[in-house]
Amino acid sequence: MSEKKKDLFDQFMEYISDFERRFDETFYSILSSFRVTRPSWDPDKCCLVPLVDIQEYPEEIIVTADLPYVDKEDISINATETSLEIDAKMRHPVRFERWGTVQREISFNCYHKSIKLPSRVDPEKAKATFRGGILRISLPKKISKQKIEID
Amino acid sequence: MALKDSVEIVEVVPVEVDQPHFLIGLPDIGLVGMISATHLVESLDMKVVSYLESDLFPPILVLHGSKIYHPFRIYQKDNILLFLSEIPVPPLAVNAISRAITNWLKEKNTSLVMPLGGIPVPNRIAIDEPDVYTVATNEIADKLVDDFSLQRLEEGIMAGPYASILKDCVKLDIPCLALLAQSFPNYPDPGAAASVIKVINKVLGTNIDVGALLEKAEEIRIKTRDLMQRTAAQLESMGKSQEYDLPAMYS
């Protein structure tokens, strides 16, 4: 291949490689945004899905939920070995006005979240606290441990 | 023909200002920067003077009062400029935004840049008033830490748009003092934003009322939920979880 053709070829390959890299980055960026594009609200039930964080540790799972406008006595938590359900009623409805095209005004008065837990837990030993609008639930895992001796 | 990967700063009105202070409030940990920036815009009645434009940005605009706004825009009040964003910064655009902003700030002979943000702390739920830590890029910014009895962030890793901006400020020798408040990692944190604004009041001599911000805290937490969720996903793709890591080097 002549030198001139080689330079053009190298430039072309560099362009293709650059394009592929940008395509991958854009594609995965779009994919990651799709993970959160389902609505976080249910207009029929006037319910919001709260922000929730799940942290798994060797002996327990900690679930926290951000529940503004809620008092402790209006929170209901139900757990099985594999799932957790949080329901909470707001102190007063939250209204969004002049928003969207179909519903120019919408209000919500509760939260609801169902969570599939990453490991089995013992719901009878669970503990919950509520401070500063943040609900914190500690769920001890159901673990059967066996000691292994080292030769 | 290469893809256009530059970011342009379009001045809506000529930005003629002498040695301005430049605050930055981008969606980040706890949305601390964006919440404090929005409160500053409202409290100081700041006006839009510029916006950022690039092929790297998603095709998104925002509507307020039926008016169209670019999601990345710069406000001004006297010699205070403020850059905020209403959408998460696309990872692909982080370095280009940083270069465009810092080059523009160098042209404007900026006296001080202040990125506003949060540091994730696991026990934030037990903290009534978050502390604010600082990261300074040169001696001028570092002197402010002692002058105003602020705390330094001594060890750690920073990831995301502010890491890029701090690095570029070091390169261009622009005084930059990042204010980072202890914050919830994944929940909007108006309390942390209030702590940051108290430090701004000290350093810039402003008198912004944080009481008004704290009164609206629950409303802010509800209204910024979706942005927080999207921001958390974007930050993870930028390696934000490395801020929890212990630094590898030791002395």
mmCIF file of all heavy atoms in Angstrom, chain B residues 194-240:
data_model
loop_
_atom_site.group_PDB
_atom_site.id
_atom_site.type_symbol
_atom_site.label_atom_id
_atom_site.label_comp_id
_atom_site.label_asym_id
_atom_site.label_seq_id
_atom_site.Cartn_x
_atom_site.Cartn_y
_atom_site.Cartn_z
ATOM 1 N N ALA B 194 -28.214 23.451 52.960
ATOM 2 C CA ALA B 194 -28.227 24.584 53.894
ATOM 3 C C ALA B 194 -26.845 24.798 54.512
ATOM 4 O O ALA B 194 -26.381 25.932 54.664
ATOM 5 C CB ALA B 194 -29.277 24.357 54.986
ATOM 6 N N SER B 195 -26.155 23.711 54.858
ATOM 7 C CA SER B 195 -24.800 23.826 55.418
ATOM 8 C C SER B 195 -23.846 24.475 54.415
ATOM 9 O O SER B 195 -23.014 25.312 54.775
ATOM 10 C CB SER B 195 -24.263 22.447 55.793
ATOM 11 O OG SER B 195 -24.919 21.940 56.929
ATOM 12 N N VAL B 196 -23.973 24.101 53.153
ATOM 13 C CA VAL B 196 -23.114 24.680 52.107
ATOM 14 C C VAL B 196 -23.384 26.177 51.972
ATOM 15 O O VAL B 196 -22.449 26.982 51.869
ATOM 16 C CB VAL B 196 -23.365 23.940 50.763
ATOM 17 C CG1 VAL B 196 -22.878 24.758 49.587
ATOM 18 C CG2 VAL B 196 -22.682 22.583 50.760
ATOM 19 N N ILE B 197 -24.655 26.563 52.016
ATOM 20 C CA ILE B 197 -25.004 27.984 51.854
ATOM 21 C C ILE B 197 -24.473 28.808 53.027
ATOM 22 O O ILE B 197 -24.041 29.957 52.844
ATOM 23 C CB ILE B 197 -26.521 28.151 51.674
ATOM 24 C CG1 ILE B 197 -26.935 27.578 50.313
ATOM 25 C CG2 ILE B 197 -26.935 29.613 51.780
ATOM 26 C CD1 ILE B 197 -28.414 27.557 50.057
ATOM 27 N N LYS B 198 -24.458 28.222 54.211
ATOM 28 C CA LYS B 198 -23.893 28.954 55.376
ATOM 29 C C LYS B 198 -22.425 29.272 55.117
ATOM 30 O O LYS B 198 -21.940 30.365 55.471
ATOM 31 C CB LYS B 198 -24.027 28.120 56.641
ATOM 32 C CG LYS B 198 -25.434 28.100 57.210
ATOM 33 C CD LYS B 198 -25.494 27.266 58.473
ATOM 34 C CE LYS B 198 -26.913 27.135 58.948
ATOM 35 N NZ LYS B 198 -27.050 26.186 60.068
ATOM 36 N N VAL B 199 -21.695 28.358 54.509
ATOM 37 C CA VAL B 199 -20.278 28.608 54.211
ATOM 38 C C VAL B 199 -20.145 29.659 53.109
ATOM 39 O O VAL B 199 -19.271 30.534 53.162
ATOM 40 C CB VAL B 199 -19.554 27.301 53.817
ATOM 41 C CG1 VAL B 199 -18.124 27.584 53.391
ATOM 42 C CG2 VAL B 199 -19.561 26.318 54.982
ATOM 43 N N ILE B 200 -21.021 29.608 52.118
ATOM 44 C CA ILE B 200 -21.006 30.639 51.064
ATOM 45 C C ILE B 200 -21.213 32.020 51.676
ATOM 46 O O ILE B 200 -20.542 32.999 51.314
ATOM 47 C CB ILE B 200 -22.098 30.362 50.001
ATOM 48 C CG1 ILE B 200 -21.771 29.101 49.199
ATOM 49 C CG2 ILE B 200 -22.264 31.543 49.057
ATOM 50 C CD1 ILE B 200 -22.887 28.653 48.284
ATOM 51 N N ASN B 201 -22.162 32.112 52.615
ATOM 52 C CA ASN B 201 -22.424 33.391 53.296
ATOM 53 C C ASN B 201 -21.160 33.908 53.973
ATOM 54 O O ASN B 201 -20.853 35.106 53.937
ATOM 55 C CB ASN B 201 -23.534 33.231 54.338
ATOM 56 C CG ASN B 201 -24.923 33.235 53.713
ATOM 57 O OD1 ASN B 201 -25.121 33.690 52.582
ATOM 58 N ND2 ASN B 201 -25.896 32.713 54.441
ATOM 59 N N LYS B 202 -20.395 32.985 54.570
ATOM 60 C CA LYS B 202 -19.144 33.386 55.256
ATOM 61 C C LYS B 202 -18.138 33.895 54.243
ATOM 62 O O LYS B 202 -17.546 34.962 54.386
ATOM 63 C CB LYS B 202 -18.517 32.154 55.930
ATOM 64 C CG LYS B 202 -18.863 31.937 57.375
ATOM 65 C CD LYS B 202 -17.846 30.930 57.940
ATOM 66 C CE LYS B 202 -18.408 30.098 59.039
ATOM 67 N NZ LYS B 202 -17.476 29.110 59.572
ATOM 68 N N VAL B 203 -17.904 33.094 53.178
ATOM 69 C CA VAL B 203 -16.802 33.380 52.249
ATOM 70 C C VAL B 203 -17.116 34.575 51.355
ATOM 71 O O VAL B 203 -16.250 35.421 51.104
ATOM 72 C CB VAL B 203 -16.486 32.128 51.392
ATOM 73 C CG1 VAL B 203 -15.436 32.425 50.346
ATOM 74 C CG2 VAL B 203 -16.036 30.975 52.288
ATOM 75 N N LEU B 204 -18.360 34.671 50.872
ATOM 76 C CA LEU B 204 -18.700 35.741 49.931
ATOM 77 C C LEU B 204 -19.353 36.944 50.610
ATOM 78 O O LEU B 204 -19.585 37.955 49.951
ATOM 79 C CB LEU B 204 -19.639 35.209 48.834
ATOM 80 C CG LEU B 204 -19.107 34.078 47.945
ATOM 81 C CD1 LEU B 204 -20.068 33.805 46.800
ATOM 82 C CD2 LEU B 204 -17.728 34.416 47.393
ATOM 83 N N GLY B 205 -19.653 36.819 51.893
ATOM 84 C CA GLY B 205 -20.288 37.940 52.596
ATOM 85 C C GLY B 205 -21.745 38.139 52.199
ATOM 86 O O GLY B 205 -22.294 39.228 52.367
ATOM 87 N N THR B 206 -22.384 37.118 51.657
ATOM 88 C CA THR B 206 -23.811 37.219 51.323
ATOM 89 C C THR B 206 -24.635 36.926 52.577
ATOM 90 O O THR B 206 -24.110 36.531 53.619
ATOM 91 C CB THR B 206 -24.186 36.198 50.230
ATOM 92 O OG1 THR B 206 -23.633 34.917 50.590
ATOM 93 C CG2 THR B 206 -23.630 36.597 48.874
ATOM 94 N N ASN B 207 -25.934 37.138 52.472
ATOM 95 C CA ASN B 207 -26.814 36.952 53.622
ATOM 96 C C ASN B 207 -28.042 36.141 53.203
ATOM 97 O O ASN B 207 -29.179 36.565 53.400
ATOM 98 C CB ASN B 207 -27.220 38.340 54.149
ATOM 99 C CG ASN B 207 -27.866 38.227 55.512
ATOM 100 O OD1 ASN B 207 -27.681 37.232 56.210
ATOM 101 N ND2 ASN B 207 -28.648 39.225 55.866
ATOM 102 N N ILE B 208 -27.777 34.984 52.619
ATOM 103 C CA ILE B 208 -28.876 34.162 52.102
ATOM 104 C C ILE B 208 -29.522 33.394 53.249
ATOM 105 O O ILE B 208 -28.845 32.746 54.046
ATOM 106 C CB ILE B 208 -28.346 33.206 51.022
ATOM 107 C CG1 ILE B 208 -27.839 34.029 49.842
ATOM 108 C CG2 ILE B 208 -29.433 32.253 50.541
ATOM 109 C CD1 ILE B 208 -26.686 33.429 49.134
ATOM 110 N N ASP B 209 -30.845 33.476 53.311
ATOM 111 C CA ASP B 209 -31.605 32.876 54.415
ATOM 112 C C ASP B 209 -31.728 31.360 54.218
ATOM 113 O O ASP B 209 -32.386 30.901 53.277
ATOM 114 C CB ASP B 209 -32.995 33.528 54.462
ATOM 115 C CG ASP B 209 -33.875 32.932 55.559
ATOM 116 O OD1 ASP B 209 -33.334 32.281 56.471
ATOM 117 O OD2 ASP B 209 -35.104 33.112 55.492
ATOM 118 N N VAL B 210 -31.097 30.554 55.098
ATOM 119 C CA VAL B 210 -31.219 29.094 54.958
ATOM 120 C C VAL B 210 -32.508 28.594 55.622
ATOM 121 O O VAL B 210 -32.966 27.495 55.344
ATOM 122 C CB VAL B 210 -29.999 28.334 55.533
ATOM 123 C CG1 VAL B 210 -28.748 28.687 54.784
ATOM 124 C CG2 VAL B 210 -29.849 28.552 57.005
ATOM 125 N N GLY B 211 -33.082 29.411 56.521
ATOM 126 C CA GLY B 211 -34.332 29.009 57.166
ATOM 127 C C GLY B 211 -35.416 28.730 56.135
ATOM 128 O O GLY B 211 -36.168 27.760 56.236
ATOM 129 N N ALA B 212 -35.470 29.606 55.134
ATOM 130 C CA ALA B 212 -36.488 29.440 54.090
ATOM 131 C C ALA B 212 -36.274 28.125 53.337
ATOM 132 O O ALA B 212 -37.221 27.443 52.960
ATOM 133 C CB ALA B 212 -36.414 30.614 53.118
ATOM 134 N N LEU B 213 -35.010 27.760 53.126
ATOM 135 C CA LEU B 213 -34.695 26.504 52.441
ATOM 136 C C LEU B 213 -35.136 25.322 53.295
ATOM 137 O O LEU B 213 -35.761 24.374 52.813
ATOM 138 C CB LEU B 213 -33.194 26.429 52.157
ATOM 139 C CG LEU B 213 -32.651 25.117 51.603
ATOM 140 C CD1 LEU B 213 -33.247 24.789 50.249
ATOM 141 C CD2 LEU B 213 -31.123 25.169 51.482
ATOM 142 N N LEU B 214 -34.827 25.368 54.599
ATOM 143 C CA LEU B 214 -35.162 24.240 55.477
ATOM 144 C C LEU B 214 -36.669 24.089 55.659
ATOM 145 O O LEU B 214 -37.174 22.970 55.803
ATOM 146 C CB LEU B 214 -34.467 24.408 56.827
ATOM 147 C CG LEU B 214 -32.945 24.309 56.754
ATOM 148 C CD1 LEU B 214 -32.289 24.707 58.070
ATOM 149 C CD2 LEU B 214 -32.501 22.904 56.364
ATOM 150 N N GLU B 215 -37.396 25.192 55.584
ATOM 151 C CA GLU B 215 -38.864 25.102 55.685
ATOM 152 C C GLU B 215 -39.453 24.355 54.503
ATOM 153 O O GLU B 215 -40.462 23.683 54.603
ATOM 154 C CB GLU B 215 -39.473 26.504 55.733
ATOM 155 C CG GLU B 215 -39.461 27.133 57.107
ATOM 156 C CD GLU B 215 -39.840 28.597 57.062
ATOM 157 O OE1 GLU B 215 -40.475 29.023 56.076
ATOM 158 O OE2 GLU B 215 -39.476 29.307 58.021
ATOM 159 N N LYS B 216 -38.772 24.492 53.359
ATOM 160 C CA LYS B 216 -39.279 23.821 52.152
ATOM 161 C C LYS B 216 -38.654 22.437 51.963
ATOM 162 O O LYS B 216 -38.816 21.819 50.906
ATOM 163 C CB LYS B 216 -38.923 24.646 50.907
ATOM 164 C CG LYS B 216 -39.579 25.985 50.810
ATOM 165 C CD LYS B 216 -39.340 26.626 49.444
ATOM 166 C CE LYS B 216 -37.883 26.846 49.148
ATOM 167 N NZ LYS B 216 -37.640 27.586 47.893
ATOM 168 N N ALA B 217 -37.933 21.945 52.954
ATOM 169 C CA ALA B 217 -37.134 20.723 52.776
ATOM 170 C C ALA B 217 -37.958 19.538 52.283
ATOM 171 O O ALA B 217 -37.569 18.834 51.350
ATOM 172 C CB ALA B 217 -36.421 20.364 54.081
ATOM 173 N N GLU B 218 -39.115 19.320 52.910
ATOM 174 C CA GLU B 218 -39.917 18.153 52.509
ATOM 175 C C GLU B 218 -40.433 18.327 51.084
ATOM 176 O O GLU B 218 -40.471 17.370 50.297
ATOM 177 C CB GLU B 218 -41.063 17.947 53.494
ATOM 178 C CG GLU B 218 -40.580 17.394 54.841
ATOM 179 C CD GLU B 218 -41.715 17.108 55.782
ATOM 180 O OE1 GLU B 218 -42.497 18.025 56.071
ATOM 181 O OE2 GLU B 218 -41.819 15.955 56.260
ATOM 182 N N GLU B 219 -40.825 19.539 50.740
ATOM 183 C CA GLU B 219 -41.317 19.806 49.379
ATOM 184 C C GLU B 219 -40.196 19.559 48.364
ATOM 185 O O GLU B 219 -40.410 18.938 47.318
ATOM 186 C CB GLU B 219 -41.785 21.256 49.290
ATOM 187 C CG GLU B 219 -42.321 21.645 47.916
ATOM 188 C CD GLU B 219 -42.589 23.143 47.816
ATOM 189 O OE1 GLU B 219 -42.708 23.818 48.865
ATOM 190 O OE2 GLU B 219 -42.652 23.645 46.687
ATOM 191 N N ILE B 220 -38.986 20.016 48.696
ATOM 192 C CA ILE B 220 -37.843 19.827 47.790
ATOM 193 C C ILE B 220 -37.561 18.340 47.613
ATOM 194 O O ILE B 220 -37.302 17.860 46.505
ATOM 195 C CB ILE B 220 -36.593 20.547 48.339
ATOM 196 C CG1 ILE B 220 -36.794 22.062 48.248
ATOM 197 C CG2 ILE B 220 -35.337 20.144 47.562
ATOM 198 C CD1 ILE B 220 -35.742 22.869 49.006
ATOM 199 N N ARG B 221 -37.620 17.587 48.732
ATOM 200 C CA ARG B 221 -37.321 16.151 48.651
ATOM 201 C C ARG B 221 -38.318 15.436 47.751
ATOM 202 O O ARG B 221 -37.977 14.513 47.017
ATOM 203 C CB ARG B 221 -37.325 15.543 50.061
ATOM 204 C CG ARG B 221 -36.025 15.826 50.815
ATOM 205 C CD ARG B 221 -36.187 15.688 52.308
ATOM 206 N NE ARG B 221 -36.613 14.361 52.702
ATOM 207 C CZ ARG B 221 -37.109 14.074 53.898
ATOM 208 N NH1 ARG B 221 -37.264 15.025 54.802
ATOM 209 N NH2 ARG B 221 -37.469 12.844 54.197
ATOM 210 N N ILE B 222 -39.576 15.849 47.802
ATOM 211 C CA ILE B 222 -40.581 15.209 46.943
ATOM 212 C C ILE B 222 -40.347 15.586 45.477
ATOM 213 O O ILE B 222 -40.367 14.750 44.584
ATOM 214 C CB ILE B 222 -42.002 15.645 47.358
ATOM 215 C CG1 ILE B 222 -42.402 14.968 48.652
ATOM 216 C CG2 ILE B 222 -42.978 15.368 46.246
ATOM 217 C CD1 ILE B 222 -43.707 14.234 48.612
ATOM 218 N N LYS B 223 -40.128 16.863 45.229
ATOM 219 C CA LYS B 223 -40.086 17.336 43.843
ATOM 220 C C LYS B 223 -38.824 16.916 43.107
ATOM 221 O O LYS B 223 -38.797 16.899 41.881
ATOM 222 C CB LYS B 223 -40.224 18.864 43.817
ATOM 223 C CG LYS B 223 -41.640 19.314 44.121
ATOM 224 C CD LYS B 223 -41.830 20.797 43.946
ATOM 225 C CE LYS B 223 -43.310 21.121 44.102
ATOM 226 N NZ LYS B 223 -43.563 22.564 44.135
ATOM 227 N N THR B 224 -37.756 16.586 43.839
ATOM 228 C CA THR B 224 -36.502 16.239 43.166
ATOM 229 C C THR B 224 -36.235 14.738 43.160
ATOM 230 O O THR B 224 -35.133 14.294 42.837
ATOM 231 C CB THR B 224 -35.309 16.973 43.832
ATOM 232 O OG1 THR B 224 -35.296 16.660 45.232
ATOM 233 C CG2 THR B 224 -35.409 18.470 43.654
ATOM 234 N N ARG B 225 -37.257 13.951 43.502
ATOM 235 C CA ARG B 225 -37.074 12.502 43.578
ATOM 236 C C ARG B 225 -36.614 11.896 42.265
ATOM 237 O O ARG B 225 -35.686 11.102 42.213
ATOM 238 C CB ARG B 225 -38.384 11.827 43.998
ATOM 239 C CG ARG B 225 -38.728 11.995 45.445
ATOM 240 C CD ARG B 225 -40.199 11.733 45.702
ATOM 241 N NE ARG B 225 -40.627 10.431 45.269
ATOM 242 C CZ ARG B 225 -41.282 10.182 44.147
ATOM 243 N NH1 ARG B 225 -41.608 11.135 43.342
ATOM 244 N NH2 ARG B 225 -41.628 8.958 43.838
ATOM 245 N N ASP B 226 -37.293 12.233 41.185
ATOM 246 C CA ASP B 226 -36.957 11.631 39.895
ATOM 247 C C ASP B 226 -35.555 12.047 39.450
ATOM 248 O O ASP B 226 -34.789 11.233 38.929
ATOM 249 C CB ASP B 226 -37.994 12.013 38.838
ATOM 250 C CG ASP B 226 -39.345 11.339 39.090
ATOM 251 O OD1 ASP B 226 -39.337 10.216 39.640
ATOM 252 O OD2 ASP B 226 -40.384 11.924 38.759
ATOM 253 N N LEU B 227 -35.220 13.324 39.643
ATOM 254 C CA LEU B 227 -33.881 13.778 39.283
ATOM 255 C C LEU B 227 -32.837 13.034 40.104
ATOM 256 O O LEU B 227 -31.772 12.656 39.607
ATOM 257 C CB LEU B 227 -33.755 15.287 39.503
ATOM 258 C CG LEU B 227 -32.361 15.887 39.262
ATOM 259 C CD1 LEU B 227 -31.875 15.625 37.839
ATOM 260 C CD2 LEU B 227 -32.358 17.389 39.549
ATOM 261 N N MET B 228 -33.128 12.810 41.393
ATOM 262 C CA MET B 228 -32.175 12.096 42.256
ATOM 263 C C MET B 228 -31.941 10.690 41.724
ATOM 264 O O MET B 228 -30.812 10.212 41.659
ATOM 265 C CB MET B 228 -32.729 12.036 43.682
ATOM 266 C CG MET B 228 -31.799 11.362 44.679
ATOM 267 S SD MET B 228 -30.329 12.334 45.123
ATOM 268 C CE MET B 228 -29.056 11.527 44.193
ATOM 269 N N GLN B 229 -33.017 10.044 41.313
ATOM 270 C CA GLN B 229 -32.911 8.673 40.822
ATOM 271 C C GLN B 229 -32.054 8.608 39.558
ATOM 272 O O GLN B 229 -31.180 7.764 39.405
ATOM 273 C CB GLN B 229 -34.313 8.145 40.541
ATOM 274 C CG GLN B 229 -34.469 6.664 40.744
ATOM 275 C CD GLN B 229 -35.905 6.219 40.662
ATOM 276 O OE1 GLN B 229 -36.803 7.007 40.427
ATOM 277 N NE2 GLN B 229 -36.130 4.945 40.857
ATOM 278 N N ARG B 230 -32.311 9.532 38.629
ATOM 279 C CA ARG B 230 -31.537 9.549 37.381
ATOM 280 C C ARG B 230 -30.081 9.913 37.654
ATOM 281 O O ARG B 230 -29.168 9.371 37.048
ATOM 282 C CB ARG B 230 -32.135 10.556 36.406
ATOM 283 C CG ARG B 230 -33.478 10.150 35.869
ATOM 284 C CD ARG B 230 -33.984 11.105 34.789
ATOM 285 N NE ARG B 230 -35.356 10.786 34.461
ATOM 286 C CZ ARG B 230 -35.705 9.797 33.639
ATOM 287 N NH1 ARG B 230 -34.795 9.070 33.045
ATOM 288 N NH2 ARG B 230 -36.970 9.544 33.394
ATOM 289 N N THR B 231 -29.885 10.862 38.564
ATOM 290 C CA THR B 231 -28.521 11.294 38.888
ATOM 291 C C THR B 231 -27.738 10.137 39.486
ATOM 292 O O THR B 231 -26.575 9.911 39.122
ATOM 293 C CB THR B 231 -28.546 12.475 39.865
ATOM 294 O OG1 THR B 231 -29.239 13.565 39.257
ATOM 295 C CG2 THR B 231 -27.153 12.916 40.237
ATOM 296 N N ALA B 232 -28.362 9.403 40.407
ATOM 297 C CA ALA B 232 -27.668 8.279 41.049
ATOM 298 C C ALA B 232 -27.225 7.256 39.996
ATOM 299 O O ALA B 232 -26.111 6.730 40.057
ATOM 300 C CB ALA B 232 -28.569 7.620 42.086
ATOM 301 N N ALA B 233 -28.077 6.994 39.009
ATOM 302 C CA ALA B 233 -27.727 6.034 37.956
ATOM 303 C C ALA B 233 -26.558 6.559 37.117
ATOM 304 O O ALA B 233 -25.625 5.822 36.782
ATOM 305 C CB ALA B 233 -28.945 5.769 37.074
ATOM 306 N N GLN B 234 -26.594 7.859 36.749
ATOM 307 C CA GLN B 234 -25.508 8.449 35.948
ATOM 308 C C GLN B 234 -24.197 8.452 36.719
ATOM 309 O O GLN B 234 -23.139 8.165 36.174
ATOM 310 C CB GLN B 234 -25.825 9.909 35.594
ATOM 311 C CG GLN B 234 -26.822 10.125 34.492
ATOM 312 C CD GLN B 234 -26.310 9.863 33.106
ATOM 313 O OE1 GLN B 234 -25.515 8.963 32.872
ATOM 314 N NE2 GLN B 234 -26.796 10.633 32.166
ATOM 315 N N LEU B 235 -24.271 8.813 37.999
ATOM 316 C CA LEU B 235 -23.046 8.902 38.805
ATOM 317 C C LEU B 235 -22.396 7.531 38.926
ATOM 318 O O LEU B 235 -21.176 7.406 38.913
ATOM 319 C CB LEU B 235 -23.351 9.468 40.187
ATOM 320 C CG LEU B 235 -23.743 10.957 40.227
ATOM 321 C CD1 LEU B 235 -24.107 11.361 41.647
ATOM 322 C CD2 LEU B 235 -22.601 11.821 39.700
ATOM 323 N N GLU B 236 -23.223 6.492 39.050
ATOM 324 C CA GLU B 236 -22.665 5.148 39.156
ATOM 325 C C GLU B 236 -21.876 4.801 37.904
ATOM 326 O O GLU B 236 -20.808 4.201 37.967
ATOM 327 C CB GLU B 236 -23.793 4.136 39.396
ATOM 328 C CG GLU B 236 -23.323 2.740 39.711
ATOM 329 C CD GLU B 236 -22.280 2.696 40.809
ATOM 330 O OE1 GLU B 236 -22.423 3.404 41.827
ATOM 331 O OE2 GLU B 236 -21.281 1.970 40.630
ATOM 332 N N SER B 237 -22.379 5.229 36.757
ATOM 333 C CA SER B 237 -21.669 4.924 35.505
ATOM 334 C C SER B 237 -20.355 5.703 35.400
ATOM 335 O O SER B 237 -19.491 5.382 34.602
ATOM 336 C CB SER B 237 -22.559 5.223 34.296
ATOM 337 O OG SER B 237 -22.726 6.616 34.135
ATOM 338 N N MET B 238 -20.204 6.768 36.225
ATOM 339 C CA MET B 238 -18.960 7.541 36.225
ATOM 340 C C MET B 238 -17.993 7.058 37.302
ATOM 341 O O MET B 238 -16.996 7.703 37.557
ATOM 342 C CB MET B 238 -19.268 9.025 36.468
ATOM 343 C CG MET B 238 -19.868 9.732 35.270
ATOM 344 S SD MET B 238 -19.897 11.525 35.551
ATOM 345 C CE MET B 238 -21.640 11.832 35.572
ATOM 346 N N GLY B 239 -18.356 5.976 37.968
ATOM 347 C CA GLY B 239 -17.461 5.440 38.995
ATOM 348 C C GLY B 239 -17.577 6.149 40.322
ATOM 349 O O GLY B 239 -16.615 6.177 41.095
ATOM 350 N N LYS B 240 -18.753 6.736 40.600
ATOM 351 C CA LYS B 240 -18.919 7.504 41.828
ATOM 352 C C LYS B 240 -18.728 6.656 43.088
ATOM 353 O O LYS B 240 -18.341 7.163 44.125
ATOM 354 C CB LYS B 240 -20.318 8.139 41.832
ATOM 355 C CG LYS B 240 -20.487 9.286 42.806
ATOM 356 C CD LYS B 240 -19.671 10.512 42.409
ATOM 357 C CE LYS B 240 -20.027 11.696 43.289
ATOM 358 N NZ LYS B 240 -19.179 12.855 43.021
#
